[in-house]
Amino acid sequence: MTVRRLGAGLVAAALITPALAACASGTGTTGSTPSPTVTASGAASPSGAPVAGDAKQALLDSTKEISNGNFRFTLAGAGSTAEGLVHQPSQSAALKIAIGGPSSDLAMKLDVIHYKPDSWVKLELTGPTANGLPAIKQLNLGKYQHLDQNRIKGNRNLGFDFDKVDPAGSAVLTQGITEVRSTGTGTYAGTIDVTKAAEAGSLNAATIAALGTQAKTVPFTAKVDPQGRLSELVLQLPAAGQTAAQEIKMTYSDYGAATAAQKPPADQVVEAPAELYSLFN
């Protein structure tokens, strides 16, 4: 895997967007009578069974608290993980990203901190290919590298937009729901047209294109907490071409209780070299 390919992978699934792909596990079924299906318009299924509320509206409402920008989150799939916090009151955010594992030719770990107007990233590259990278000595591995905001503006790999505080874009994803049903207290299942959710950040355009017509009916499950706030959203992407079935899972917690990100110690900070920006562009 080349450095450029690895950097591009960061844009595939959630700010962070490592190409979060995993072989999907089989989905279980409950022994209870299936809940009536609710279409995007909120209509009940032909069974005529009564619908207890509008399941889609419940999920749309579940993402509203995210926009307040005070929560913790995770994003995972295919051995790639991301976790972090957003704290809008202090205009700060932090996230840790891991792409690839011990068996990868080239694996990457990122520790990114944003504390407006500053941003820093600490980068770790491992694997047999890492030491052969021409710019490896210029990347200041092990140090927090201070980023020039003018050079990361609009860069979803390294930047952060405090006007769009959700790294996974769940509000956009739920807008694409085409079918949904309640499967229990605070749990839902259905399908999402991900062609309408390219801006979410959880999927890149290439992944959506590879799905073809399947992109319009991607299965999902979701959970909300007792306050009706989204706590989990899982997309089950079907196999497409040479790509195996994939799962993308995002979670949210600590609504209103996240703390401000911590700035890195001054003695661990250096200015980022040109090679770092090249890695992620």
Side-chain angles (χ1 to χ4, degrees), residues 61-62 65 224-230 255:
D61 291 343
S62 76
E65 184 65 23
V224 300
D225 66 14
Q227 289 72 44
R229 303 169 300 195
L230 186 67
Y255 284 107

Side-chain angles (χ1 to χ4, degrees), residues 39-42 54-67 166 169-178 180 188 192 220 222-224 228-230 233 255:
T39 65
S41 64
D54 186 336
K56 181 177 181 180
Q57 190 59 50
L59 287 178
L60 291 174
D61 291 343
S62 76
T63 66
K64 290 181 178 179
E65 184 65 23
I66 296 174
S67 64
D166 182 11
S170 294
V172 177
L173 285 168
T174 54
Q175 290 286 345
I177 290 175
T178 53
V180 61
Y188 302 88
I192 291 178
F220 80 92
K223 296 179 182 179
V224 300
R229 303 169 300 195
L230 186 67
L233 180 62
Y255 284 107

Side-chain angles (χ1 to χ4, degrees), residues 191-210:
T191 56
I192 291 178
D193 180 353
V194 297
T195 65
K196 299 178 180 179
E199 292 303 312
S202 300
L203 295 170
N204 65 6
T207 299
I208 294 172

